[in-house]
Amino acid sequence: MSGPTGSSDLPGGSGAERFAPGTFAPDPRPAPRASMLAAQTRLELVLLLRNGEQLLLTLFIPVTLLVGLTLLPFGDLGGVRVDTVVPAVMTVAVMSTAFTGQAIAVGFDRRYGALKRLGATALPSWGIIAGKSLAVGVVVILQSIVLGVIGAALGWRPTLLGLGIGALVIALGTVTFATMGLLLGGTLRAEIVLALANIAWFVMLGVGSVVFATDALPGIVRTLARCIPSGAMTETLEQAVVGHVDSTGILVLVIWAAVCGVWATRKFSFT
């Protein structure tokens, strides 16, 4: 009679191995980096889309602004109002997602120790930041599609060249605002981040409105407004959708992205 570990006791016959060698052996190797990044991006995207406040910032407010400013007679916005309103609202949408939402999410992830716990996993630190950034990029793409469709329904008719240049400007603006959000959320306490992110959102919203809403202000005011990311992106995007490249606005966005990116790299804290 075989002992308790004898092969004859195994189902399937004497000496037969039911499972392939190594089936239950430990496999401590981490998953491929591409798989880890995809999983982290998916997680961040789900968290973004489940957040009611985030949805308010990313969809409800921009859509309301787009419809309201196009249909209601507020100010002198040129011959075809929607052509001016769409680029400005696109800027608001990108700013809401990439800057305000990103900063607040990172700040509270640090406060509750989520980033610290992720740092203890096999996921590298760059993967955490890249996952958040890619999730923001996906949301911005969805925003752009939704606002573009609504704009088209309201009479917006950009050229194919304008759409291509505009997409590049939106990508650059997303990078710029995302680096600003990471810098703010990764360096200050969550409560301070919450207050500053919302204040900065309103300030930049006002700056953007200075650029597109009126030509009656002094030239120096418009120039200073265009040195702020929201003003630069609004003007650059408005020029882009008609097929023009605003090199000054692009330079402003690149400078802000570079400065905030370097500073965030040096000052960002996971705890």
Side-chain angles (χ1 to χ4, degrees), residues 16-268:
E17 293 190 11
R18 186 176 182 181
F19 301 100
T23 299
F24 298 108
D27 188 5
R29 294 174 300 173
R33 292 191 172 187
S35 299
M36 289 192 290
L37 180 57
Q40 182 65 21
T41 301
R42 184 168 57 253
L43 172 64
E44 296 291 346
L45 183 60
V46 169
L47 292 176
L48 278 174
L49 297 178
R50 283 182 177 178
N51 190 322
E53 178 186 352
Q54 190 68 23
L55 289 177
L56 179 69
L57 284 171
T58 57
L59 281 179
F60 182 76
I61 291 178
V63 169
T64 302
L65 286 174
L66 175 57
V67 176
L69 291 175
T70 301
L71 299 181
L72 299 178
F74 289 138
D76 182 12
L77 301 181
V80 183
R81 294 176 64 89
V82 71
D83 289 346
T84 303
V85 172
V86 169
V89 173
M90 287 282 190
T91 300
V92 173
V94 172
M95 182 173 65
S96 300
T97 301
F99 171 67
T100 308
Q102 178 89 312
I104 294 173
V106 170
F108 280 93
D109 281 350
R110 290 174 58 231
R111 176 183 178 181
Y112 294 123
L115 292 184
K116 182 178 180 180
R117 288 175 172 81
L118 282 174
T121 67
L123 182 67
S125 57
W126 64 264
I128 300 172
I129 302 302
K132 289 182 175 293
S133 300
L134 287 174
V136 166
V138 172
V139 174
V140 168
I141 292 173
L142 295 176
Q143 284 178 306
S144 301
I145 294 173
V146 171
L147 294 175
V149 169
I150 295 175
L154 294 172
W156 185 51
R157 297 293 184 269
T159 63
L160 290 177
L161 176 61
L163 287 176
I165 300 174
L168 294 177
V169 173
I170 289 174
L172 176 58
T174 301
V175 172
T176 302
F177 285 114
T179 56
M180 295 170 60
L182 289 172
L183 174 61
L184 183 61
T187 55
L188 300 176
R189 292 177 54 189
E191 295 81 4
I192 299 177
V193 171
L194 180 62
L196 287 182
N198 284 292
I199 291 173
W201 186 86
F202 279 106
V203 171
M204 288 193 288
L205 178 64
V207 170
S209 66
V210 167
V211 173
F212 89 94
T214 179
D215 293 325
L217 295 174
I220 184 64
V221 176
R222 290 179 59 85
T223 300
L224 290 176
R226 292 197 60 194
C227 292
I228 305 300
S230 58
M233 183 174 174
T234 299
E235 180 69 21
T236 305
L237 193 55
E238 184 177 1
Q239 295 295 324
V241 294
V242 295
H244 299 157
V245 177
D246 183 3
S247 56
T248 301
I250 290 175
L251 179 61
V252 170
L253 292 174
V254 168
I255 291 175
W256 274 91
V259 172
C260 292
V262 171
W263 200 2
T265 301
R266 294 180 178 180
K267 300 294 184 180
F268 192 91

